[in-house]
Amino acid sequence: MLAGIAARRHILRDGKDEHPGGATLMGIETPCTKVCRLDPQSGFCLGCGRTADEIAGWLGFSPEVRREVMASLPARLAGRAAETESLARDATTRARQSAAGRRDAQ
């Protein structure tokens, strides 16, 4: 469903329309990166950082509300990147400990 919303409502940041269905919607800036996958833990899109409600309501938001949401996205995405990096470090540590344990058992 989310991918369908993004496909129907995608407009490039430079103001040019790129709409798979051929519809034209001029002048609405969007942070959409065409990734459109929600993280089940945070509820944020992995591509742009918006919530499903923000994505679905984007065209109905005032320019001010859209700017407020867009201003919050870098922090959301940075928080997600830091969380992912932490999970990767933990997985690497566990893998090293497991390998060391196997070597010690031999």
Side-chain angles (χ1 to χ4, degrees):
M1 179 181 121
L2 191 56
I5 292 169
R8 288 191 304 274
R9 296 184 175 185
H10 181 73
I11 300 174
L12 296 177
R13 289 182 201 147
D14 64 4
K16 295 179 185 172
D17 294 340
E18 184 176 283
H19 222 311
T24 301
L25 300 168
M26 296 299 291
I28 296 180
E29 188 175 24
T30 178
C32 181
T33 61
K34 295 185 178 182
V35 171
C36 302
R37 294 191 187 181
L38 292 179
D39 173 48
Q41 292 178 329
S42 69
F44 297 138
C45 173
L46 297 175
C48 69
R50 293 179 292 172
T51 65
D53 287 342
E54 290 167 342
I55 293 167
W58 195 253
L59 293 178
F61 292 166
S62 69
E64 294 79 21
V65 170
R66 285 194 299 267
R67 280 192 290 273
E68 287 175 18
V69 171
M70 289 179 68
S72 71
L73 298 179
R76 290 181 189 178
L77 292 171
R80 179 68 184 139
E83 180 182 324
T84 300
E85 186 177 311
S86 175
L87 291 171
R89 268 195 315 269
D90 292 347
T92 300
T93 299
R94 283 192 305 274
R96 287 182 180 155
Q97 289 170 342
S98 177
R102 284 192 304 269
R103 278 194 306 268
D104 292 344
Q106 292 176 0

